[in-house]
Amino acid sequence: MILKKRKIKYATIFFICWFALLVFLVDGVLKFQTLVDYFGSYALVEISLLLLVILPTLVVYKLTKER
């Protein structure tokens, strides 16, 4: 797989914005400990949050058109 600069740039911008939004929501609004209590597992919450950041970033990278 050849990495393209333009695709990496857009995926990075999306990653930073999406990560900041999730950090705000999880730490500020929903409270992380509340999520752990609700789902019952610290590891499950951590993996879910990581996947919520990584998977959409990969999709943005794949869907970005190279000139």
Side-chain angles (χ1 to χ4, degrees), residues 25-39:
L25 286 176
V26 170
D27 288 341
V29 177
L30 298 175
K31 305 295 182 205
F32 184 77
Q33 191 58 43
T34 305
L35 290 174
V36 172
D37 292 340
Y38 182 75
F39 290 109

Side-chain angles (χ1 to χ4, degrees), residues 13-48:
I13 291 169
F14 176 80
F15 174 82
I16 291 169
C17 294
W18 185 241
F19 184 74
L21 178 67
L22 279 178
V23 166
F24 171 73
L25 286 176
V26 170
D27 288 341
V29 177
L30 298 175
K31 305 295 182 205
F32 184 77
Q33 191 58 43
T34 305
L35 290 174
V36 172
D37 292 340
Y38 182 75
F39 290 109
S41 171
Y42 179 83
L44 178 67
V45 173
E46 282 289 326
I47 291 171
S48 300

Side-chain angles (χ1 to χ4, degrees), residues 1-3 6 10 12 14 21 23 25 28-29 33-35 38 42 45 49 52 55-59 63 66-67:
M1 181 169 98
I2 299 173
L3 298 176
R6 183 171 186 259
Y10 286 117
T12 304
F14 176 80
L21 178 67
V23 166
L25 286 176
V29 177
Q33 191 58 43
T34 305
L35 290 174
Y38 182 75
Y42 179 83
V45 173
L49 292 172
L52 277 173
L55 293 178
T57 302
L58 290 175
V59 170
L63 295 179
E66 191 63 36
R67 291 184 189 175

